[in-house]
Amino acid sequence: MAKTKKKFYAIKYGINPKTKEEVKNIILTSWKEVEPYIKGVKGAKYSGFITKKEAEDYLKKADSLMRKKDNKYPKDCLHCYVDGSFNKDINNYSYGLVCVKNSEIIHFEKGLGRNKDAIGMQQIGGELLGAMKALLYAKKYSHNKVVIFHDYEGTCYHATGYWKRDNEFSKIYYNWMQDFFKNNTEVEVNFCKVDAHTGDDFNEIADGLAKLALKITPPNEFYKLSEKYNIDITK
């Protein structure tokens, strides 16, 4: 049976290749038109459909991602802040993880990535890895409710399958997350977007830890926050 060809493409977020301005909620009728708006665009959101109504319904669908600035995320649980970094000199990526309970840091870690497919994603690969490490920590220490704070929207959307997965590591991440959700139903996992480099202490610490893993010197603010929260960065 011949595969039905998609005739409509809905773009929730992209970049106009000529003006470099953001493009939101448009419908196009060929992949040739769509590709320049989403190719290489971090956080691009789009999908193809057979009918125009399906495309319109997709654009109407609410963005379910929680955002920290709205202050509606669960407070009475483990909060895990994740971030990634990339060092082109050694062609590798890293993650930083900060686990917080009742506004106190109870765990932090950093590490290098080892997946060749993730290298092409640069720092994004590190943030996805950090999210997986966060859930492993939550499970190990019996935290049955966790909020993963991230500044890359795909940390949530690749985990849930809301975004199309074009990279092999994003597919690995999706499958890993889906297996975790299926096999650990006692753990409630929430994702919450935090804006990068806007003065959020724990997000800045996660960013600095990821840089340290790659032997990149973090901003001075990281060292001030390390002292504030009594973090021994030599570990």
Side-chain angles (χ1 to χ4, degrees):
M1 180 181 292
K3 186 176 181 181
T4 304
K5 185 177 180 180
K6 294 177 180 178
K7 298 180 180 179
F8 299 93
Y9 295 86
I11 301 177
K12 278 197 172 185
Y13 176 78
I15 297 294
N16 186 310
K18 294 181 180 179
T19 64
K20 305 304 179 184
E21 295 178 344
E22 292 185 351
V23 172
K24 296 181 179 180
N25 299 325
I26 64 172
I27 296 176
L28 301 173
T29 56
S30 73
W31 177 249
K32 185 177 180 180
E33 291 179 290
V34 173
E35 189 173 16
Y37 287 91
I38 55 88
K39 187 175 182 180
V41 176
K42 181 179 179 180
K45 289 186 277 188
Y46 62 97
S47 191
F49 303 92
I50 298 171
T51 68
K52 187 176 182 180
K53 185 179 185 306
E54 288 176 318
E56 290 172 341
D57 289 344
Y58 169 77
L59 293 180
K60 291 176 183 176
K61 186 176 180 181
D63 183 349
S64 61
L65 180 63
M66 284 191 295
R67 300 178 186 277
K68 189 175 184 182
K69 63 184 179 181
D70 295 333
N71 200 34
K72 295 181 179 179
Y73 56 89
K75 310 295 195 302
D76 58 338
C77 62
L78 179 70
H79 291 173
C80 295
Y81 291 77
V82 301
D83 211 343
S85 191
F86 183 78
N87 187 337
K88 64 181 180 180
D89 293 332
I90 63 173
N91 197 35
N92 203 6
Y93 63 100
S94 65
Y95 74 92
L97 168 64
V98 179
C99 299
V100 181
K101 193 76 181 287
N102 299 322
S103 300
E104 292 187 9
I105 295 176
I106 61 173
H107 174 74
F108 67 91
E109 63 180 87
K110 62 184 185 297
L112 297 175
R114 293 183 172 83
N115 185 288
K116 60 182 179 59
D117 293 313
I119 290 175
M121 300 181 80
Q122 299 190 358
Q123 71 273 12
I124 292 173
E127 186 156 327
L128 300 186
L129 177 58
M132 292 188 282
K133 294 287 187 179
L135 292 186
L136 289 175
Y137 175 83
K139 179 180 179 180
K140 181 177 180 179
Y141 292 98
S142 301
H143 292 279
N144 291 333
K145 189 174 183 180
V146 57
V147 181
I148 298 177
F149 291 91
H150 52 91
D151 54 36
Y152 170 59
E153 291 185 356
T155 304
C156 171
Y157 289 144
H158 283 316
T160 61
Y162 183 64
W163 273 6
K164 181 179 179 181
R165 294 164 297 284
D166 296 320
N167 178 280
E168 285 301 315
F169 189 65
S170 65
K171 296 175 184 177
I172 291 171
Y173 174 73
Y174 167 76
N175 290 329
W176 190 97
M177 282 290 181
Q178 291 299 309
D179 285 343
F180 185 93
F181 299 154
K182 179 181 178 180
N183 297 322
N184 300 276
T185 55
E186 76 282 3
V187 182
E188 178 186 329
V189 181
N190 303 272
F191 292 91
C192 188
K193 173 77 166 60
V194 57
D195 293 334
H197 308 302
T198 54
D200 186 292
D201 286 3
F202 302 126
N203 180 249
E204 296 295 343
I205 293 172
D207 173 74
L209 289 171
K211 286 181 169 61
L212 283 180
L214 290 167
K215 301 188 184 305
I216 297 173
T217 302
N220 288 334
E221 183 64 21
F222 167 76
Y223 295 99
K224 294 178 182 178
L225 292 173
S226 298
E227 291 183 7
K228 177 181 177 180
Y229 291 99
N230 297 314
I231 295 177
D232 183 0
I233 60 175
T234 63
K235 291 184 177 179

